[in-house]
Amino acid sequence: MDLRQLEVFSKVFELKSFSKAAEKLRISQPTVSAHIQNLEDELGIKLFDRMGRKILPTLEARILYRHAVELLKKKEEALSELLSVTKKSKGTLKLAVSNIPGDYLIPHILLKLKHLMPEVVVQVEIFDSKKVIKQLKEVIPEYDIGFAGSLIPDQKLEYKKILDDEIVLIAPPYYNSEKITLEDFIKLPLLIREEDSGTRIAVERALKEKGISSLSLNIIAFLGSNTAIKEAVKKGVGFGLVSKYSIKEELDCNKLKTIKIEGLSIKRSFYAVRRNDITPIPAARILWDNLEKLFNSKNT
């Protein structure tokens, strides 16, 4: 029984699928099947019951999985500690980020990151804020550091605030008002983000403080990115609620305008997040230690 077999077994156990495990591990399905078969033969036990296209882990598999997770954790920690003694950071730094950090904040720090770690390749993948946190909470996280627009407390996670943000109401440039009342805002045809985005969470929290339910809003569409909302607003579809960081170019070019909502201010912050129970790879440690320097007013 070797660690590669345990890695394949754990992924099959977690995904309940040979094909999905093969895709996640970037190997062929026959290779996955061979690893599981060899492991079953070596241990003399059955690990999965195959029921058509579905597989169910046996009691023995559940026991093995508990120990496999601990062994694989130790492997990652050992590699991280070994790498940490080298003077240069190498390899890939994997970041799970929400929409605004991914589209507007991380690109601004890439040049400084390159100067800090010239031999590191940065890999960025974008999720909504809740999924960023979920990725970091995996038993063996695939990502080194996350960036999200909301803070979800968890004893396994460590947060560090990087920037403050404001969610603003945007309209086409020909809209003739500079500010509106809260009562008028509720009547506007609105375009807002999907349920688990940090922007949506901040909007609903600010409205709740005013005693307003999001159900009372005239929402005409839920869109999966700030870019989609901006494009729809430009076409006159409705009004949008987006991060101030996402509209700098449009405001400068007079493609959009912001409308002040009297009596309503929607504030939130962006956070870097990492696991506190896993030794970080050197590149992740360097990024974490330099967050304040990287995310300053000159970068935003």
Side-chain angles (χ1 to χ4, degrees):
M1 181 171 60
D2 59 40
L3 289 175
R4 183 56 172 169
Q5 286 177 327
L6 291 178
E7 183 180 12
V8 173
F9 159 74
S10 297
K11 198 58 66 177
V12 173
F13 184 96
E14 292 163 5
L15 299 175
K16 304 294 188 295
S17 168
F18 282 66
S19 59
K20 289 180 180 178
E23 183 179 353
K24 192 75 173 176
L25 294 168
R26 294 178 178 152
I27 58 178
S28 69
Q29 186 170 334
T31 301
V32 170
S33 298
H35 276 300
I36 298 302
Q37 185 63 58
N38 291 338
L39 190 55
E40 288 180 332
D41 292 344
E42 183 178 344
L43 296 174
I45 58 175
K46 193 172 186 179
L47 296 171
F48 299 100
D49 290 318
R50 294 147 179 89
M51 304 177 65
R53 293 186 176 181
K54 295 182 179 179
I55 63 168
L56 295 175
T58 63
L59 174 61
E60 291 83 355
R62 296 179 188 279
I63 294 171
L64 179 60
Y65 177 73
R66 189 172 69 249
H67 293 286
V69 165
E70 292 301 318
L71 288 170
L72 292 170
K73 268 188 182 179
K74 290 297 182 183
K75 171 197 168 187
E76 293 300 319
E77 291 175 3
L79 290 175
S80 293
E81 288 187 19
L82 288 170
L83 285 171
S84 69
V85 301
T86 63
K87 292 184 178 179
K88 291 185 177 180
S89 292
K90 298 181 180 180
T92 301
L93 175 64
K94 300 184 72 173
L95 307 178
V97 305
S98 61
N99 189 263
I100 296 301
D103 286 341
Y104 303 100
L105 303 182
I106 299 298
H108 292 170
I109 70 166
L110 286 179
L111 187 59
K112 285 190 174 183
L113 274 181
K114 195 65 180 173
H115 289 155
L116 277 173
M117 301 175 286
E119 298 186 57
V120 170
V121 175
V122 179
Q123 180 178 330
V124 178
E125 295 193 39
I126 297 177
F127 307 90
D128 61 50
S129 286
K130 281 192 176 180
K131 286 182 181 175
V132 169
I133 305 306
K134 184 179 179 182
Q135 293 290 338
L136 270 293
K137 288 173 65 177
E138 293 247 348
V139 176
I140 303 175
E142 186 176 345
Y143 299 91
D144 302 303
I145 290 180
F147 291 88
S150 59
L151 188 156
I152 304 173
D154 188 283
Q155 61 180 5
K156 292 182 179 180
L157 301 178
E158 178 182 0
Y159 289 88
K160 187 179 285 189
K161 187 170 83 168
I162 56 172
L163 287 171
D164 291 317
D165 186 25
E166 181 179 7
I167 310 302
V168 295
L169 180 67
I170 57 172
Y174 53 78
Y175 186 70
N176 57 13
S177 295
E178 301 298 325
K179 62 181 179 179
I180 59 173
T181 65
L182 196 51
E183 291 74 17
D184 288 335
F185 164 72
I186 293 172
K187 300 173 186 176
L188 292 178
L190 285 176
L191 304 149
I192 67 173
R193 290 289 304 280
E194 74 282 7
E195 185 175 6
D196 288 338
S197 77
T199 300
R200 172 80 171 272
I201 293 169
V203 168
E204 292 184 341
R205 183 175 61 244
L207 289 173
K208 185 177 181 180
E209 290 173 357
K210 294 293 180 179
I212 300 171
S213 168
S214 59
L215 296 176
S216 65
L217 302 177
N218 180 22
I219 299 171
I220 60 173
F222 298 101
L223 300 177
S225 71
N226 281 260
T227 300
I229 292 176
K230 290 190 298 180
E231 291 304 308
V233 172
K234 289 176 190 177
K235 297 295 184 182
V237 176
F239 297 76
L241 288 164
V242 298
S243 164
K244 69 178 183 180
Y245 289 109
S246 70
I247 56 170
K248 286 185 176 182
E249 183 177 338
E250 286 80 5
L251 294 179
D252 291 341
C253 298
N254 198 35
K255 292 181 179 179
L256 290 170
K257 68 183 297 184
T258 59
I259 309 298
K260 180 177 176 58
I261 307 169
E262 294 180 343
L264 182 66
S265 177
I266 308 175
K267 305 284 189 180
R268 58 105 173 253
S269 298
F270 292 114
Y271 300 90
V273 55
R274 69 176 181 179
R275 286 284 287 272
N276 59 24
D277 60 341
I278 296 176
T279 303
I281 64 171
R285 188 179 65 247
I286 291 171
L287 171 56
W288 190 264
D289 291 343
N290 286 275
L291 285 171
E292 185 175 351
K293 181 165 52 177
L294 291 167
F295 290 97
N296 56 45
S297 59
K298 294 180 181 179
N299 292 320
T300 56

